[in-house]
């Protein structure tokens, strides 16, 4: 009988969540950049604002993706990602309430929905960080 050694990477779940966050964020950033005009018509905010958000999201996605692929997942960097995600969630919800005249109905629904998705990423990242310890 042969013994099998099982090793568990306690950061696997965290890496997966960070990678998923990077992928979703990157796709959104690309969409905002590539289709700012049509999306502005659908969602309400101007194309210039959407392009700026898209550029930010792409840079953020790359940073989160790099974090997910490092040999050691840095806890401080992960906490910064969590803080950014929570800030994004809160800012999106505030924007939806305070700037509701600028948004179309679809824009309001999209803003709240993406805020909830980002909040879920933050929660999963908190769980992953705890598991990694």
């Amino acid at each position: 009988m042969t013994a099998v050694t099982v090793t568990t990477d306690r950061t696997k779940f965290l890496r997966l969540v960070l990678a998923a966050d990077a992928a979703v964020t990157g796709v959104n950033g690309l969409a905002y950049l590539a289709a700012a005009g049509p999306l502005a018509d659908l969602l309400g905010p101007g194309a210039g604002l959407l392009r700026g958000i898209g550029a930010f999201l792409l840079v953020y996605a790359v940073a989160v993706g790099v974090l997910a692929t490092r040999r050691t997942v840095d806890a401080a960097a992960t906490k910064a990602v969590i803080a950014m995600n929570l800030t994004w969630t809160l800012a999106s919800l505030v924007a939806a309430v305070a700037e509701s005249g600028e948004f179309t109905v679809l824009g309001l629904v999209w803003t709240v929905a993406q805020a909830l998705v980002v909040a879920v990423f933050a929660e999963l990242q908190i769980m992953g960080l705890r598991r990694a310890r």
Side-chain angles (χ1 to χ4, degrees):
M1 180 175 231
T2 305
V4 175
T5 303
V6 177
T7 58
T8 57
D9 178 0
R10 296 176 67 165
T11 64
K12 186 175 183 176
F13 178 76
L14 178 57
R15 289 174 192 283
L16 179 64
V17 173
L18 288 168
D21 186 354
V24 169
T25 301
V27 168
N28 280 327
L30 284 173
Y32 288 161
L33 282 173
L39 286 174
D41 294 339
L42 284 173
L43 304 176
L49 177 61
L50 291 179
R51 281 187 199 94
I53 291 170
F56 168 78
L57 290 176
L58 278 179
V59 171
Y60 183 72
V62 168
V64 175
V66 167
L67 177 62
T69 62
R70 291 289 166 216
R71 183 176 177 153
T72 304
V73 179
D74 185 89
T78 302
K79 288 177 185 177
V81 168
I82 293 166
M84 288 291 294
N85 283 344
L86 293 174
T87 300
W88 181 273
T89 299
L90 181 59
S92 295
L93 295 175
V94 167
V97 172
E99 303 288 333
S100 60
E102 181 178 332
F103 290 101
T104 64
V105 172
L106 182 59
L108 284 172
V109 170
W110 173 254
T111 300
V112 172
Q114 61 83 35
L116 294 175
V117 168
V118 174
V120 168
F121 277 130
E123 177 59 29
L124 292 172
Q125 289 158 352
I126 290 167
M127 290 171 49
L129 196 56
R130 287 182 182 149
R131 286 184 185 185
R133 291 184 183 162

